[in-house]
Amino acid sequence: LREKEREKCLRSKIKHTHIDSMRTNSTNKTWAIKVVIGFFLLLAIYRIDEAVFGGGGGRKARNGDRDEELIFVGGFGRSGTTLMRAILDAHPDIRCGPETKILPEFLRFLTGLLQQTGFMEFVYDADRNAQRTIDRAARSFVQTFIENFGPAARRYCTKDPNTARYFAYLHHLFPKAKFLLMVRDARAVAYSFVHRINAQDHNMTMY
């Protein structure tokens, strides 16, 4: 009887040990699954951050529809465009750098070219989709130039007073962008030019 009791007790211990081992293995498996899921979740978040914001915790430009990220500031010289640039640049999510000088010249050249009827007819004869191709190229150049004209940011702003002349075409290229046209009393503008610009180096009669 004692032998049978010992054997029964031993079997019971083995059974409980096996159950405890199964529970431990199950716990380990659950923990391992959670670790794997957590790893892939972090990886997915990192991928999303890279794809949507360009990495850096959302500080860089978005790679999707970036129309909404652009802000154009323009107006006549001495009308307050620099003050507006400083105000916008003070925002932690906006980078509004100094005047590029290049964008107004690029837009002047491109819009002048598009207004040359004879030349554009020749272009359209070669490619019926030339206007769309030109617009896409112009959009890519303007956007890439603005985004790379300084440090990365969530939203990009450019301040070139003379771009105001081309706001209509820029709105055609970037229909969701924001446009700020600075308007100041003409007398104050003239006064600012006279007192802030060296008259010996500039022809003031045009103002």
Side-chain angles (χ1 to χ4, degrees):
L1 291 174
R2 290 181 179 180
E3 289 294 332
K4 289 183 179 181
E5 289 178 359
R6 287 179 182 177
E7 184 176 351
K8 185 177 180 181
C9 183
L10 183 60
R11 288 180 178 177
S12 177
K13 288 182 179 180
I14 293 173
K15 182 178 181 181
H16 285 297
T17 302
H18 179 67
I19 292 173
D20 291 339
S21 177
M22 289 178 63
R23 289 176 178 173
T24 303
N25 291 337
S26 178
T27 302
N28 291 338
K29 288 180 181 179
T30 302
W31 180 83
I33 291 172
K34 289 180 179 179
V35 170
V36 172
I37 293 174
F39 171 77
F40 281 105
L41 181 62
L42 290 175
L43 181 62
I45 294 173
Y46 174 79
R47 295 288 187 182
I48 293 172
D49 180 69
E50 284 288 324
V52 177
F53 299 110
R59 292 298 303 150
K60 295 186 179 180
R62 298 172 181 173
N63 294 324
D65 184 4
R66 295 177 292 182
D67 256 20
E68 299 176 357
E69 311 305 320
L70 297 180
I71 304 172
F72 295 92
V73 179
F76 200 80
R78 314 304 305 170
S79 64
T81 55
T82 301
L83 176 61
M84 179 56 67
R85 183 203 76 80
I87 293 173
L88 291 172
D89 196 54
H91 194 284
D93 289 338
I94 300 176
R95 190 258 287 156
C96 196
E99 296 180 22
T100 66
K101 305 293 185 182
I102 293 178
L103 287 181
E105 292 301 315
F106 169 76
L107 293 168
R108 181 178 66 85
F109 166 77
L110 182 59
T111 54
L113 191 65
L114 293 174
Q115 291 172 0
Q116 295 182 18
T117 308
F119 175 78
M120 292 308 299
E121 287 179 354
F122 175 78
V123 174
Y124 293 143
D125 287 340
D127 182 6
R128 294 181 180 179
N129 297 320
Q131 184 63 58
R132 185 175 63 179
T133 303
I134 293 171
D135 289 345
R136 291 181 63 182
R139 173 187 169 94
S140 178
F141 174 83
V142 172
Q143 189 162 308
T144 302
F145 188 84
I146 293 173
E147 291 181 357
N148 289 276
F149 198 74
R154 183 181 292 274
R155 299 198 66 171
Y156 294 98
C157 169
T158 179
K159 189 276 286 188
D160 279 290
N162 289 331
T163 56
R165 300 179 180 181
Y166 313 104
F167 272 3
Y169 183 61
L170 286 171
H171 184 260
H172 169 70
L173 297 179
F174 305 97
K176 296 181 181 179
K178 302 296 185 293
F179 297 88
L180 298 179
L181 176 64
M182 303 302 298
V183 178
R184 186 183 183 186
D185 190 305
R187 294 166 294 182
V189 171
Y191 180 87
S192 180
F193 267 113
V194 171
H195 288 271
R196 295 293 298 273
I197 297 178
N198 189 341
Q200 295 179 352
D201 297 332
H202 297 80
N203 180 13
M204 300 302 296
T205 58
M206 65 180 293
Y207 300 108

